[in-house]
Amino acid sequence: MKKILLSLLATSALFASQCTYDLKELKVEWKAYKTPLKIGVGGTFDKVSFSATDKSSTKALLASSTIVIDTASIDSKNSGRDAKLVNYFFETQGVKEITIKVLSVEHNRVNLAVTMNGITKTIPMKLDLERDEAEGEGYIDLADFKMLPSLSAITKACYDLHQGKTWQDVEIEFELKTKKECH
């Protein structure tokens, strides 16, 4: 009887579903601030590549992910603003892409290694992790990436609109949605 039960258990394990979580949608958003009143202007990037090495859960997918952002694909829903951001902000220092590697996923927190302008900094973000979705929010300081010449250039190009003030902190957010597939 024991052999029959063991055989049944072994056979059922062979037919048990193996599930993986794949990327369904990824949105990377930013909000920069202008004027002495610190008015926010936000947007996304249209060209964002994503790769992950562990797809056993949404948390594992996130924890093993790398994201590469094409800075020329910035989208603030204003083509004139987008052109200025590319030409005066990113191109001033030749920043073509931003790379993000997830370092760790902890309770309500994700730590990212953000590389921009050849400099990598660890950025902590608040995290809301659900079964098939993860949302994060945090801030970067442009000075940490030696991007103050770019900040100065965009401030000068948009002097009147910014009333002479562009802030060096930028809010960053992401929303990652997964789809579960069982085989």
Side-chain angles (χ1 to χ4, degrees):
M1 188 65 160
K2 279 186 179 180
K3 285 184 180 181
I4 293 172
L5 285 175
L6 287 174
S7 292
L8 286 173
L9 285 173
T11 304
S12 66
L14 288 175
F15 293 107
S17 295
Q18 293 291 336
C19 298
T20 59
Y21 290 76
D22 289 308
L23 181 67
K24 180 179 179 182
E25 181 182 346
L26 175 63
K27 186 186 293 185
V28 177
E29 297 179 294
W30 55 270
K31 185 183 288 183
Y33 300 94
K34 64 181 184 176
T35 81
L37 295 176
K38 204 170 188 178
I39 296 171
V41 175
T44 62
F45 293 93
D46 293 331
K47 293 182 183 172
V48 178
S49 67
F50 175 89
S51 62
T53 57
D54 186 346
K55 298 181 177 190
S56 59
S57 67
T58 298
K59 181 178 180 179
L61 184 80
L62 176 62
S64 68
S65 66
T66 300
I67 297 135
V68 179
I69 299 168
D70 178 347
T71 60
S73 73
I74 198 162
D75 183 1
S76 67
K77 307 296 182 218
N78 178 317
S79 60
R81 180 186 301 128
D82 296 344
K84 282 184 178 179
L85 286 167
V86 170
N87 293 326
Y88 294 102
F89 185 74
F90 290 115
E91 288 296 324
T92 292
Q93 292 184 250
V95 176
K96 304 280 187 205
E97 63 184 33
I98 301 166
T99 303
I100 302 162
K101 172 79 176 121
V102 177
L103 298 174
S104 65
V105 177
E106 303 164 7
H107 181 71
N108 297 328
R109 179 179 166 145
V110 60
N111 291 304
L112 310 176
V114 176
T115 303
M116 180 169 55
N117 195 32
I119 298 167
T120 302
K121 292 289 181 183
T122 299
I123 306 296
M125 297 181 76
K126 294 178 193 171
L127 178 66
D128 183 13
L129 182 63
E130 302 292 330
R131 180 175 297 185
D132 62 351
E133 188 172 314
E135 294 179 0
E137 80 175 56
Y139 291 87
I140 61 170
D141 183 337
L142 296 174
D144 290 342
F145 298 93
K146 299 194 184 320
M147 293 292 292
L148 295 183
S150 291
L151 183 67
S152 178
I154 195 70
T155 301
K156 186 176 179 181
C158 303
Y159 192 84
D160 291 338
L161 288 170
H162 292 204
Q163 298 173 8
K165 176 68 175 173
T166 310
W167 298 78
Q168 69 187 46
D169 54 325
V170 178
E171 183 177 358
I172 54 174
E173 296 182 357
F174 71 84
E175 181 179 353
L176 179 141
K177 294 181 180 178
T178 62
K179 59 183 173 191
K180 180 179 177 181
E181 294 183 19
C182 297
H183 316 288

